[in-house]
Amino acid sequence: MAVTIKQMSLIVATLGVVSFVLGVVAENKKYPTDPSVALGYLSTAFLLACIVAGYLSLFYPYKGKSVPQSVLFRSTSFLVFFNIALFTGGLAATLLLWPTITEQLHLSRNIHKNLETTCPTAKTGLLGGGAFVSLDSALFWLVALMLADNAREDYFDDLTTNGKGLDKAAYDEAEHLKGSA
């Protein structure tokens, strides 16, 4: 069964939303006994899966028909949203990994005998901010996918029509009739 654009958009959106939810929960659970480190890493993993799925969805040959990348990047809107999606994905990964790794270091180097006492935690707000940027990244990948779909349709329409807007097969048939009359 071939993958459709609709299915890829659902995959990208689902991965982005899961990354967002895990990041927000990790931000709210930053205590020594809570699993904020595991949730932070899971959020990052889902973000990376979202980025990979978003990137691959743009260039996947739907219905067995591939489009040259130069055709997609000819569209200014696609180029802008593609670059924004890449940038926000990298920013989200940074904002998710930085406090997660810091929190892991704080917990692994804890010298307190009593885990119920206060200990240093990673910067407040970075995981939550990373979660929101992760969701933004998924949305930008979806916009880029819609723009890529439009570029694909335009490309295949241009292949079947000539500059006059006629169907190429009908145009060739009309040329054949002109020569015989």
Side-chain angles (χ1 to χ4, degrees):
M1 181 171 132
V3 179
T4 64
I5 291 177
K6 189 177 195 179
Q7 290 170 333
M8 286 303 289
S9 64
L10 288 173
I11 291 169
V12 171
T14 302
L15 292 171
V17 168
V18 170
S19 174
F20 166 72
V21 169
L22 290 172
V24 169
V25 172
E27 176 66 39
N28 291 331
K29 300 290 183 185
K30 287 193 337 187
Y31 299 103
T33 58
D34 290 322
S36 63
V37 172
L39 291 172
Y41 284 131
L42 279 173
S43 178
T44 304
F46 277 98
L47 169 66
L48 293 176
C50 175
I51 292 169
V52 169
Y55 183 85
L56 294 177
S57 71
L58 300 177
F59 306 111
Y60 183 79
Y62 297 103
K63 298 178 186 173
K65 299 178 182 177
S66 62
V67 176
Q69 289 183 4
S70 62
V71 170
L72 296 176
F73 288 110
R74 206 177 299 155
S75 168
T76 306
S77 299
F78 174 80
L79 181 65
V80 167
F81 278 97
F82 177 78
N83 285 319
I84 290 173
L86 281 176
F87 175 75
T88 55
L91 180 62
T94 302
L95 290 175
L96 288 172
L97 281 175
W98 178 17
T100 302
I101 292 170
T102 304
E103 186 74 17
Q104 182 180 11
L105 291 174
H106 286 251
L107 291 174
S108 66
R109 296 178 181 168
N110 187 3
I111 58 169
H112 300 292
K113 303 294 183 202
N114 183 0
L115 291 178
E116 298 302 319
T117 61
T118 59
C119 66
T121 60
K123 298 274 187 198
T124 303
L126 287 180
L127 274 170
F132 279 102
V133 178
S134 175
L135 183 62
D136 291 342
S137 176
L139 296 175
F140 283 123
W141 283 115
L142 290 175
V143 171
L145 180 57
M146 290 188 306
L147 293 169
D149 185 35
N150 290 342
R152 287 175 59 83
E153 288 177 11
D154 292 344
Y155 175 73
F156 291 124
D157 286 346
D158 288 346
L159 286 181
T160 58
T161 61
N162 66 5
K164 297 179 182 177
L166 298 173
D167 183 15
K168 185 167 176 24
Y171 182 77
D172 290 341
E173 182 181 339
E175 285 293 319
H176 172 69
L177 292 175
K178 286 182 185 177
S180 64

